[in-house]
Amino acid sequence: MDTIHALAAQLRRARRILVLTGAGISAESGIATFRDAQDSLWARFRPEDLATPEAFRRDPALVWRWYAWRRGQVAAAQPNAAHRALVELARRRDTVLVTQNVDDLHQRAGSVDAICLHGALMRTICSVTRLEIDADWLAANPGEPPRSPHHADGLARPGVVWFGENLPADALDRANAAATQCDVVLAIGTSALVYPAAGLPGLAQRHGAWFAEINPQPTPLTPAADLVVAQPAGLALPAALAAWEEA
Ligand code: NAD
């Protein structure tokens, strides 16, 4: 059996599926993964050096501008066939979607209740209180970054989780619970270098789940996978759904 049919057969047999996605699932929508960003106008900065609380303290304008560039990319992008296939998968089987992505393409494709481990790029929060800052305030108080309405020392910052910051506890709890309850786990488009997200497939496997990775490149999770689909997600996922009846 080829890998697509093998994937389809497991998905069809599954009762509960956990899907973990990373930046790679949005690559076919034209949104740079951290690796692709090395080809962009931001190539001389390492994302790991911009997406941190220290970077924001050191140079808030630089970090704000980088996120403005990323927000522009996301606003111009559309969900792709892989995002849409996961909506269809959730119609066919009980599926929990956990994403490391901060773009909103899963939601715009129609996924409801996606668990966003790393926050949301399009949200803006106060750097001190973490309270949300609304669009009207931002429009009336331009700046790089604007100041915060919530605290005298606060600045506006993107509502994402930076390297070194804690993940939202409720999101992590829900993701861990889903990992212990699923019988199939998929890791799609993630380099599996960022924990705790990268630990979810292993947790699921320790609870008996079958694990498939969908990624054109190998990752640290590849040796542990029960099936490796070394193809772009936008090809592999629709193909697996199309093969459903034959599987
Ligand atoms: P990553 O950039 O480290 O890795 C991307 C992975 O996707 C790579 O392994 C690559 O081989 C794979 N890939 C590339 N094209 C693919 C395709 N068409 N189909 C399937 N896989 C493909 O991303 P990561 O693992 O998500 O982790 C890095 C961090 O980057 C996360 O914390 C995330 O929040 C952040 N990030 C998010 C976005 C976004 O929201 N779209 C973009 C860049 C970075």
Side-chain angles (χ1 to χ4, degrees):
M1 203 187 308
D2 66 32
T3 52
I4 293 297
H5 280 83
L7 176 62
Q10 290 289 341
L11 292 174
R12 190 175 172 184
R13 211 175 295 150
R15 285 177 304 109
R16 284 186 174 164
I17 302 170
L18 170 62
V19 179
L20 172 67
T21 65
I25 198 168
S26 296
E28 290 163 81
S29 293
I31 300 178
T33 65
F34 275 178
R35 193 177 315 190
D36 296 334
Q38 300 310 310
D39 299 330
S40 75
L41 72 161
W42 290 90
R44 63 201 174 89
F45 299 96
R46 281 170 18 106
E48 295 84 344
D49 296 336
L50 291 169
T52 67
E54 295 74 30
F56 189 69
R57 271 196 294 275
R58 198 168 50 233
D59 194 342
L62 175 75
V63 173
W64 183 261
R65 281 198 293 270
W66 184 57
Y67 277 98
W69 171 72
R70 294 185 59 198
R71 283 175 166 177
Q73 270 199 332
V74 168
Q78 297 299 327
N80 65 50
H83 297 105
R84 289 191 294 274
L86 291 180
V87 179
E88 175 59 24
L89 180 65
R91 278 194 202 107
R92 298 186 190 183
R93 289 293 178 269
D94 183 355
T95 300
V96 175
L97 173 59
V98 177
T99 187
Q100 300 168 83
N101 292 349
V102 295
D103 67 47
D104 54 3
L105 296 186
H106 282 306
Q107 292 81 358
R108 279 161 54 196
S111 284
V112 286
D113 293 335
I115 299 174
C116 298
L117 289 179
H118 294 164
L121 187 62
M122 297 305 194
R123 281 181 65 222
T124 301
I125 60 174
C126 169
S127 61
V128 177
T129 65
R130 305 282 173 120
L131 292 169
E132 183 136 8
I133 302 178
D134 66 38
D136 290 346
W137 168 271
L138 296 170
N141 295 273
E144 283 193 326
R147 62 199 173 84
S148 165
H150 300 303
H151 195 283
D153 298 327
L155 293 172
R157 58 159 278 187
V160 301
V161 178
W162 280 331
F163 291 107
E165 292 185 325
N166 288 332
L167 274 58
D170 60 324
L172 189 56
D173 287 350
R174 286 168 61 211
N176 282 329
T180 62
Q181 290 160 5
C182 67
D183 48 13
V184 168
V185 57
L186 306 181
I188 306 172
T190 175
S191 58
L193 297 172
V194 179
Y195 278 78
L200 289 170
L203 177 62
Q205 279 186 303
R206 288 194 294 283
H207 284 78
W210 179 90
F211 168 40
E213 177 173 70
I214 302 176
N215 193 321
Q217 303 295 329
T219 78
L221 295 180
T222 306
D226 296 299
L227 182 75
V228 176
V229 184
Q231 298 179 20
L235 289 180
L237 286 170
L241 293 181
W244 193 270
E245 297 304 333
E246 307 148 27

